[in-house]
Amino acid sequence: MSLIQRIKDDPELADLLIHPFDFDLDRPYWVGEEETLRSGQPKEAVAGMASGCGYFFCGEGGEERPVLYLSSDGMTSLVAENLTDLLTLVVAAPWWLDCLIRWRGGVEAMRAMSEECRAEFVEEDFPDLAECQERVAAALGLDLTADVMGRLLAAARRTDPDFILVHDEGHELTPIVPAAAAV
């Protein structure tokens, strides 16, 4: 059974993914047909966030396709190699976006920043996070010990050139990790 179907079949699991993990299958971000991937591959909305941001599968296939993040203000990044990696990221590090936006440096800098963001998130927003993480990980078979920040950075570095969204008039959306920083 697919991960998406497992989530849809379990309302409690779907609710946990919405809060605290901000992953909502019923709120897919809508991007018009005028926005395409620079590579020409198709894109498909997967899930959305409360802020209006969203996730897209890139290319043909099922849940094994790369996943692109698109913010409501036009920033974009490849964030996972497949849906399992995306769900592992949002469950293990729901603060991932803050880290990616503020990141300047290597993988170790990203990991250190993740620890700072985790402390803020747990202390300020969700002190029962560990219990929710365990429940979702068990239900979906996720390995929360994976190096999610290293995977996130590796995916983000692959955004340019193929995973940039382009409007039909030729305007390209801005990658969160600039091409110069991706090297």
Side-chain angles (χ1 to χ4, degrees), residues 16-131:
L16 276 174
L17 282 166
I18 292 168
H19 183 72
F21 305 113
D22 204 9
F23 182 89
D24 188 348
L25 290 175
D26 291 331
R27 184 191 286 251
Y29 184 94
W30 183 84
V31 173
E33 293 302 314
E34 69 278 359
E35 294 175 327
T36 60
L37 291 171
R38 187 191 290 161
S39 66
Q41 296 179 61
K43 65 185 182 328
E44 176 187 347
V46 178
M49 301 168 80
S51 61
C53 305
Y55 300 104
F56 296 85
F57 282 132
C58 300
E60 302 282 341
E63 294 179 354
E64 75 285 349
R65 295 177 280 174
V67 181
L68 184 74
Y69 163 82
L70 176 61
S71 74
S72 56
D73 61 356
M75 297 286 287
T76 188
S77 181
L78 195 64
V79 293
E81 295 301 322
N82 54 53
L83 184 60
T84 300
D85 285 355
L86 175 64
L87 288 166
T88 302
L89 173 66
V90 300
V91 172
W95 49 84
W96 69 266
L97 182 57
D98 289 339
C99 291
L100 189 60
I101 289 171
R102 298 184 334 202
W103 171 80
R104 299 294 173 260
V107 174
E108 289 308 316
M110 177 70 88
R111 290 181 185 127
M113 188 179 308
S114 179
E115 284 305 308
E116 292 172 23
C117 292
R118 185 193 72 69
E120 292 170 15
F121 186 86
V122 171
E123 184 176 303
E124 295 174 16
D125 298 326
F126 211 78
D128 297 330
L129 179 66
E131 180 184 326

